[in-house]
Amino acid sequence: MLARTSNRKYRPCEKQKPDPTVVRANKRLASRFYQLKTGHCLTGQYLAWTTRRPDATCWWCQYKIQTREHLFKNCPQWKSQQKTLWTTVLEETRRLPGPARGRDRTQIAELRADERCSQAVQDFLATTDVGRTSGPTVAADEDGAASEASEWDAREQAERAAERAAEEEWLGAAA
């Protein structure tokens, strides 16, 4: 005789539910957001740790180590987007209950954990290539095979081209 199973479904507690701001984002942006949140984003530091890049230097400004802190606060490639991000974060955190978050006194881990800042972080990711391997491709291995990082780069470029084509097709159909 088969055992009787419960009809109840697993329901995660409130703390485990995904951020509602991120849920509304497109899939690729949400993926980059959660990769940044968990520390598995495509930064020089992470790719060097996984041995997919020879070193951890920033591929946009050649800083010695590309971390989330560097990309969100100091990389000169994203200065204007950083200014917008931190202005928005400060406004949001002053307006809503909880500690105010400013550029100099906030760690990126705290920024990502604070749901009040989710939309600002998403806007930053949408206007930059942070979390993507958009820098110069890594040289081929000794046996001539391209590295995994350059494969990701090629895949991302193909996905962006497909997104643009779909958007143009949709705009053409709407007209």
Side-chain angles (χ1 to χ4, degrees), residues 36-51:
L36 277 163
K37 193 168 188 166
T38 61
H40 294 91
C41 60
L42 302 179
T43 61
Q45 181 182 34
Y46 178 74
L47 291 173
W49 178 78
T50 60
T51 66

Side-chain angles (χ1 to χ4, degrees), residues 89-103:
V89 164
L90 191 57
E91 289 171 5
E92 286 297 315
T93 56
R94 280 186 179 162
R95 222 171 21 95
L96 299 171
R101 303 236 179 254
R103 178 181 179 156

